[in-house]
Amino acid sequence: MRAASVGTWRAAGVAVVALLLLPLVAGEFWAYQMSLLYLYAIAALGVGLCWGRAGFLPLGQGLFFGLSAYLSGLALIAFDQSAWLLLLLPLAALASGALALLIGTLVFRRRGESGPYFSMITLALALLAGQMANNWESVTGGFNGLKGIPGLPGLDSFIAAYYVAAVALVLACAAVVWLYRAPLGVLWAALAHNERRVVLFGFDTNRLKAVAFGVSGLLAGLGGALYAPQQGLVTPQLCGFVLSADLVIWAAVGGRGRLLGPVLGALLIGALTSALRDSFRFWEITIAIVFIVIVLAYPQGLIGVFAPLERRWRQGRRALAALAAPPRRQPGGALRLQLEDVELQVGEVRILDKLSLAIERAGVFCVIGPNGAGKTSTFNLLTGELRAQAGRVRFDGLAIERRPTHQIVALGVGRKLQIPSVFAHLSIADNLGVALWSGRTRASDLLRPRLRRWRTPLLAALQERYPFLAEAQRTAAELAHGERQILELALALLGEPRLLLLDEPCAGLSPQETAQVIDVIRWASQRSAATIVVIEHDMSLVRNLAEHVFVLHNGRLLAQGSVAEIQANPAVKAIYVGSEK
Amino acid sequence: MESVLVAQALNALFAVAVLALIALGLAVVFGLLGVLNLAHGELVMVGAYCAYVAQTHGWPFVAALPLAIAVCGVLGLVVERWLVRPLYHRPFDTLVVTWGLSLLLRKCAEALFGLGYQSINEPLGGTLDVLGATYPRYRLLLIAISIVVLGALLLWYGRSRTGTRIQAMVDNPDLARALGIRVGRFAAATFVAGTCLAGLAGVLIAPLVPVQPFMGLDHVLMSFFVLVVGGLGSTAGLLTGSAVIGGVNSVVSAVSDSTGGYFCVLVLAILFLWLRPSGIHARR
């Protein structure tokens, strides 16, 4: 990780000064307009966080804005000018955050659904909230809304309201910057592109997504809580569809992928809308078309225009000193693994047929077998991604079949997938970070940006062998295929797992690269006393690596033993006739 | 007493039939192409405005049907070509883009017709005696149309060569392409069929609902929940989903209010997401 450069601080300073001076320069009308837009911008930040970072699209953020606006309005009416408001208004924002966290937990609970289901449910919730606000007249004031809400005690003028909103916007941006710099932000970005891989590092991605949604609800809630005293009126339209839609448009047009994109979108489009809506009849149609074009062709949004400028600032950054990562939280040593009479069927296809095998010591084990023998499925079973219909899977005697993947992995399982699936859009440093945090962090650690400076002796040793791993700022997308395989292997090793599952680690590598990979696997096995299980087709490689070989055929264990024993085995010969090397 | 029961049964049947008719277009596009067209509700709205245009010009109600098919067909062609086709491998972006389209269509309707509610005269007035209950004739006609459209589509899809080719495309687009099936053209045709069905449904329900630019939102949500509950890719799923969602919505709305019905539908959809994510009739 690098410190913020002088350029970044200077830009932030200019922005804050501009915020402070605006009412003096532009006059009271624009100060009033902008103070409302600042609140919307805070809510748009949350949409950007969910959509641009964590990869799911909330279509009903108005619900959280409106809910806290109503709560705050009711509190202001009931406790006019009282000191209690200092407590109650933050609580109103928190209520929205808590509701979003709850909804996120419920919707994301079962399957890591980030697509249409989540978006449609949030849209439906916003419409429902709008209806409730309309119908529940005794509390919400019905269609005409909650009227005559007093301002904040002592901050009743336009200018004061302006500065309250400006300070809130700056604080919200600072909080989101913090989150994006913390491991949590890196994990959000990682899971948006490859959720399965993040789960295989032992993180509960459903919870991470629920937290992202909770934060976005809190941001919308903050905007809403300040909306009530600023505007003096809260209507059902706030909860419903219109504001929810505007927030999504602002985030997209401004640029959802960056912190300030949604803010830029909200301020710019919001200001243009209030200036043009009445004079230009087709303004809103234009905005809808711009939105579609941006989604189709220019996903960075308007803020993308500033990307070259930003790159120049980044050059001024200096790297921060490395910190030694703590050891894994789980005990070390090899993990004892037992499969007993496991049966696995997907649809009509029987994949595993009473498979039994056990690995009770450290070392390098190879699994071989013809295509369709059930090798990769066995790995998927071990990491809990497939569920056996019958039989037992035990780690250290503990039955794991009913546990979710991230919990199984947290017992000390590392996995390298067959197709390299590093996080292509993240930097090499962040890729390595995700692996380092695996098994070494508690939930609260994920909020500490200093974790991005973690190093381990193993990482140093790997970087010595493969210098490209130290080129922290390169993105993984720039790597060649061979380098990606090495990075993927490094990620699997860095968590220092007790059971390491490698699925064809040499697929697509040149002979030299293959030799290097074999070397690393041997080296890792000597260093760590872990159990390493390798799926491999190449018999020359198996001969080189394996202390013990399992042969799978049609979902059963056909034979096991040393390489020499396997090669002499007539049953194995029979299935490999003509393909022996 | 008996006549009340018959009337209630007809009401339920009517609710289910209309919901199935509205959800059909979405089911075709989502189930066969995997594209969730969030503008589906707005295409229903476009259909309803076609009925309004026909009425203001003094044309007979039936004239609105070809008008809606023409308008929604052209819209479907344009949308498939320029918005959906570039994104077939990015389903998430399709969702966002069709959401933008829904916004665009709504704003266009607002600019053309204003925000106000329009009402359409029923083309078929009067009532009919059904087993002692008097029931509006137009509603009975709608039930019949819904059954005929669904049945005809099902029969055609199962029996015709085109239907078989579409099934091949859905099952394995690459293999279908290798066999000489013009997958791109069939996908476009399927999408257009979906938008036309939406327009058709819009015309048919126009006399029964207030016609306004925001009317589509409810329809797309309810249609989506029908598919969540029923499962994708089968007529049985569409009917079961419509029965469950339409039934729950109308019963709870009758007992409490429309907000309660809405709330129950939502809870039901979330429960299905947990317990049966591929619906009652899973395709595989």
Side-chain angles (χ1 to χ4, degrees), chain A residues 442-525:
Chain A
R442 292 169 201 285
S444 60
D445 291 337
L446 297 181
L447 293 175
R448 297 164 51 205
R450 52 191 287 133
L451 262 66
R452 287 176 80 175
R453 290 150 61 187
W454 273 5
R455 297 288 178 276
T456 62
L458 180 64
L459 176 59
L462 281 167
Q463 283 173 335
E464 201 167 305
R465 280 170 171 266
Y466 300 106
F468 80 90
L469 290 177
E471 294 170 28
Q473 294 309 309
R474 259 173 97 188
T475 59
E478 299 166 42
L479 299 178
H481 177 79
E483 288 176 321
R484 283 195 198 200
Q485 281 280 29
I486 300 286
L487 177 59
E488 171 96 26
L489 184 64
L491 297 186
L493 291 171
L494 279 176
E496 294 175 29
R498 304 165 58 207
L499 171 65
L500 179 59
L501 305 172
L502 303 176
D503 200 341
E504 299 199 30
C506 302
L509 294 189
S510 70
Q512 292 93 326
E513 288 166 332
T514 303
Q516 280 188 324
V517 167
I518 292 177
D519 201 31
V520 172
I521 294 174
R522 280 224 196 97
W523 170 76
S525 119

Side-chain angles (χ1 to χ4, degrees), chain A residues 90-212:
Chain A
L91 276 182
L94 272 179
S96 279
L99 180 66
L101 183 65
L102 176 74
I103 293 168
T105 310
L106 291 178
V107 176
F108 292 131
R109 196 179 84 141
R110 270 298 163 89
R111 47 187 233 175
E113 168 59 52
S114 308
Y117 289 83
F118 177 82
S119 300
M120 295 302 269
I121 285 175
T122 51
L123 177 60
L125 280 168
L127 293 186
L128 180 72
Q131 268 191 26
M132 284 169 76
N134 233 329
N135 295 347
W136 199 7
E137 223 161 293
S138 57
V139 176
T140 63
F143 180 76
N144 295 321
L146 210 55
K147 278 178 281 195
I149 300 168
L152 290 170
L155 297 167
D156 217 0
S157 72
F158 279 159
I159 297 298
Y162 172 87
Y163 283 116
V164 169
V167 167
L169 177 61
V170 170
L171 289 181
C173 285
V176 176
V177 167
W178 177 280
L179 288 174
Y180 283 3
R181 293 176 75 92
L184 187 58
V186 178
L187 289 173
W188 282 335
L191 74 84
H193 286 75
N194 194 343
E195 186 162 351
R196 180 186 176 201
R197 199 73 192 92
V198 179
V199 174
L200 285 173
F201 281 118
F203 296 102
D204 184 352
T205 52
N206 289 346
R207 224 170 94 196
L208 293 177
K209 288 194 289 185
V211 168

Side-chain angles (χ1 to χ4, degrees), chain A residues 51 55-57 59 105-111 113-121 123-125 127-128 131-132 135 241-242 244-246 248-249 256 281-282 284-289 291-292 295-296 299, chain B residues 30 36 38 82-84 86-87 90 92-93 95-97 99-104 106-108 110-112 214 217-218 220-221 224-225 227-228 232 257-260 262-263 266 269-270 273-275 277-278:
Chain A
W51 185 14
F56 57 88
L57 175 62
L59 289 180
T105 310
L106 291 178
V107 176
F108 292 131
R109 196 179 84 141
R110 270 298 163 89
R111 47 187 233 175
E113 168 59 52
S114 308
Y117 289 83
F118 177 82
S119 300
M120 295 302 269
I121 285 175
L123 177 60
L125 280 168
L127 293 186
L128 180 72
Q131 268 191 26
M132 284 169 76
N135 295 347
F241 177 77
V242 178
S244 306
D246 282 344
V248 172
I249 295 173
R256 59 195 186 255
R281 190 162 158 237
F282 300 110
E284 285 178 317
I285 294 178
T286 312
I287 286 294
I289 293 173
F291 173 83
I292 292 175
V295 171
L296 274 176
Chain B
F30 193 26
L36 180 59
L38 271 184
W82 299 106
L83 299 188
V84 176
L87 300 175
R90 288 154 61 191
F92 185 77
D93 286 339
L95 179 88
V96 181
V97 141
W99 182 86
L101 176 69
S102 78
L103 205 75
L104 179 63
R106 228 171 11 243
K107 292 298 173 193
C108 288
E110 249 182 78
L112 283 171
F214 275 80
L217 279 172
D218 265 342
V220 73
L221 279 170
F224 178 75
F225 292 140
L227 302 183
V228 168
L232 280 178
D257 61 353
S258 66
T259 312
Y262 211 91
F263 184 76
L266 248 182
I270 294 179
L273 198 59
W274 291 349
L275 306 175
S278 42

Side-chain angles (χ1 to χ4, degrees), chain A residues 298-384:
Chain A
Y298 199 65
Q300 312 84 309
L302 292 180
I303 199 105
V305 176
F306 300 104
L309 208 62
E310 198 187 3
R311 262 196 293 281
R312 253 186 49 205
W313 290 342
R314 277 180 192 281
Q315 286 169 358
R317 294 184 177 192
R318 60 198 160 75
L320 293 170
L323 297 172
R328 274 190 74 92
R329 292 172 58 211
Q330 288 287 329
L335 192 146
R336 282 180 299 121
L337 159 74
Q338 291 158 325
L339 295 174
E340 293 165 15
D341 294 328
V342 171
E343 287 180 34
L344 176 70
Q345 194 165 343
V346 176
E348 297 292 302
V349 187
R350 172 162 294 245
I351 297 174
L352 297 181
D353 182 15
K354 290 196 181 301
L355 175 69
S356 296
L357 64 82
I359 298 179
E360 311 248 302
R361 63 184 171 83
V364 181
F365 299 79
C366 276
V367 178
I368 65 171
N371 283 330
K375 302 182 296 290
T376 300
S377 297
T378 306
F379 274 16
N380 286 340
L381 193 79
L382 291 175
T383 48

Side-chain angles (χ1 to χ4, degrees), chain B residues 118-130:
Chain B
Q118 316 291 349
S119 65
I120 314 291
N121 302 325
E122 281 187 31
L124 193 65
T127 58
L128 207 66
D129 272 1
V130 184

